[in-house]
Amino acid sequence: MITTRRQSGKTLSRPDSDAPMMGGVKPPSAATTILEELRSDFERIVSDTVAQVEACPAKHDPTFEGYQELLAAVRSATSLEAALVKRAIALVVGKNPELSLINLERPLPVHQAAKVLFLRDDWARASMIRRDAEAIARDHYRPDLLVVDRVQQHALLLDIKRTVSSYSPSAIVTLRSRMMASALAVREVLERKYEVPSVSRASIAIIDATGDSRSEAEGILGLGDLDWLLRIDGAGHAIRHLRELYGAKMRAILQEHCETIVEPQREGRTGEKPQSGFEEETGLTPGNEEQDEELNPQAVGQVGDQEGIFDDIGGNSDEPAFAVGAASRRTR
């Protein structure tokens, strides 16, 4: 995990990647416990999301003529899933009394100078940028979730993606630089506007709900990392269950749409519903079914829709050291 420390001009350091998770080995029953406590809440928010999918209107699309309902359901389901996971993680956070979920009134300022340096991986210089939350900034960033651990004096900025693979590498680099630049100002924002204990460090994490792109060095983590990020055993297991529940309901809806599309075409092939006006145009007569089939082959198509760092940034000043970086297991 790449981290940075503003200390006597030192630059990057990489802590031991095998550092143990804080809290030790989780008890076997923890995952089941957290899931059972949240099961009814999960079912409710899944139902809410499914209702939104079903209410999404199908738009005319000449390319996908006849498949608009299926296309609308797929697009809506994928676009709403990240928001569903966000709501579920917020419910999980509520199960740890040492954590507070902060609802920001305004996005965090992103100082351009820090953003540029973070883009260049110049962590030591970036940590020296002024972190005044009231300074004018043209760019701002609002995390999907801002979690404060009052015991650890730790602020965690989470950005939740359904799948990171849907984004280009350059887009992820830009997102990470904006998150880290905004994390430089989060302590002052929390101290001025929110009644939370002093925060000594801040972490950023991009959560990939599929886990396909996990990379601690790049600040990309999976659902399984939620246990040590939030210090809640079974958090990752609970969110995976939520996604399974959502997936099952969405597949049932898609199956219905597929049957609605395919069945009429199947009936047409078997002759139960002949094509209107076809006999007149071709002069078909009873008893010539084999010849008719050769003259009028039917094709059935299917279409699918693809959707589209951190230890201490302290200081040699009189103020307390403030660390910012990408979440690593050392934060736990």
Side-chain angles (χ1 to χ4, degrees):
M1 183 64 237
I2 296 178
T3 61
T4 176
R5 182 186 301 272
R6 198 178 87 186
Q7 184 180 61
S8 302
K10 291 184 179 180
T11 54
L12 299 182
S13 64
R14 182 183 294 273
D16 184 4
S17 60
D18 296 324
M21 287 169 38
M22 204 165 54
V25 179
K26 58 186 177 184
S29 62
T32 303
T33 300
I34 191 72
L35 177 56
E36 289 302 322
E37 291 178 357
L38 292 171
R39 189 180 297 276
S40 61
D41 292 321
F42 280 2
E43 291 176 351
R44 172 178 53 81
I45 62 176
V46 165
S47 296
D48 290 347
T49 305
V50 170
Q52 293 180 59
V53 173
E54 293 180 313
C56 182
K59 298 181 180 180
H60 174 68
D61 191 324
T63 301
F64 299 102
E65 184 68 37
Y67 296 85
Q68 293 96 326
E69 297 288 345
L70 177 63
L71 192 63
V74 172
R75 285 176 170 170
S76 179
T78 54
S79 65
L80 291 171
E81 190 167 2
L84 172 64
V85 173
K86 169 185 172 180
R87 293 178 65 184
I89 294 177
L91 290 173
V92 172
V93 169
K95 293 302 178 179
N96 186 341
E98 296 176 353
L99 301 181
S100 295
L101 194 61
I102 306 301
N103 295 314
L104 293 171
E105 297 178 0
R106 295 185 299 175
L108 298 170
V110 176
H111 297 299
Q112 188 64 22
K115 177 182 176 182
V116 170
L117 291 172
F118 278 131
L119 282 170
R120 297 173 182 173
D121 292 353
D122 194 347
W123 318 114
R125 292 183 60 193
S127 68
M128 300 174 66
I129 298 297
R130 183 177 60 175
R131 296 165 293 184
D132 184 2
E134 298 298 324
I136 297 176
R138 291 182 297 175
D139 190 13
H140 294 78
Y141 169 76
R142 185 191 295 274
D144 287 327
L145 294 174
L146 174 56
V147 182
V148 173
D149 188 322
R150 299 187 300 275
V151 174
Q152 300 285 326
Q153 295 185 328
H154 175 211
L156 177 62
L157 287 72
L158 296 178
D159 195 290
I160 302 166
K161 302 298 183 189
R162 177 182 181 271
T163 171
V164 170
S165 61
S166 297
Y167 299 82
S168 67
S170 61
I172 295 300
V173 170
T174 299
L175 171 61
R176 187 170 66 247
S177 70
R178 295 180 69 232
M179 294 179 71
M180 294 190 69
S182 66
L184 293 174
V186 71
R187 178 179 64 166
E188 189 171 348
V189 169
L190 292 173
E191 289 177 349
R192 288 187 179 185
K193 299 182 178 296
Y194 301 91
E195 296 180 0
V196 296
S198 176
V199 170
S200 61
R201 58 192 176 93
S203 304
I204 65 101
I206 301 171
I207 302 298
D208 182 2
T210 63
D212 295 337
S213 303
R214 188 188 184 284
S215 172
E216 285 193 33
E218 298 177 334
I220 302 173
L221 303 174
L223 295 179
D225 296 300
L226 290 174
D227 291 42
W228 59 268
L229 277 174
L230 303 176
R231 298 195 293 118
I232 302 176
D233 294 320
H237 173 78
I239 303 302
R240 280 192 292 266
H241 172 80
L242 171 103
R243 294 195 70 222
E244 291 171 359
L245 177 62
Y246 179 66
K249 290 184 176 293
M250 287 314 309
R251 287 190 295 273
I253 292 175
L254 297 180
Q255 181 65 30
E256 292 180 4
H257 285 306
C258 288
E259 291 175 354
T260 300
I261 295 169
V262 173
E263 192 60 33
Q265 299 184 43
R266 181 181 299 156
E267 292 175 350
R269 285 202 312 273
T270 58
E272 296 178 10
K273 292 184 179 181
Q275 297 294 323
S276 175
F278 186 77
E279 296 85 352
E280 296 182 3
E281 295 177 6
T282 59
L284 299 181
T285 57
N288 293 330
E289 290 85 355
E290 294 182 0
Q291 180 180 359
D292 296 344
E293 184 176 357
E294 294 177 359
L295 292 173
N296 184 34
Q298 299 294 321
V300 177
Q302 292 183 338
V303 64
D305 185 51
Q306 298 180 340
E307 56 165 326
I309 222 194
F310 87 89
D311 240 356
D312 305 314
I313 295 180
N316 297 321
S317 61
D318 293 332
E319 65 175 350
F322 177 63
V324 62
S328 68
R329 294 181 184 270
R330 291 188 60 190
T331 66
R332 196 174 164 183

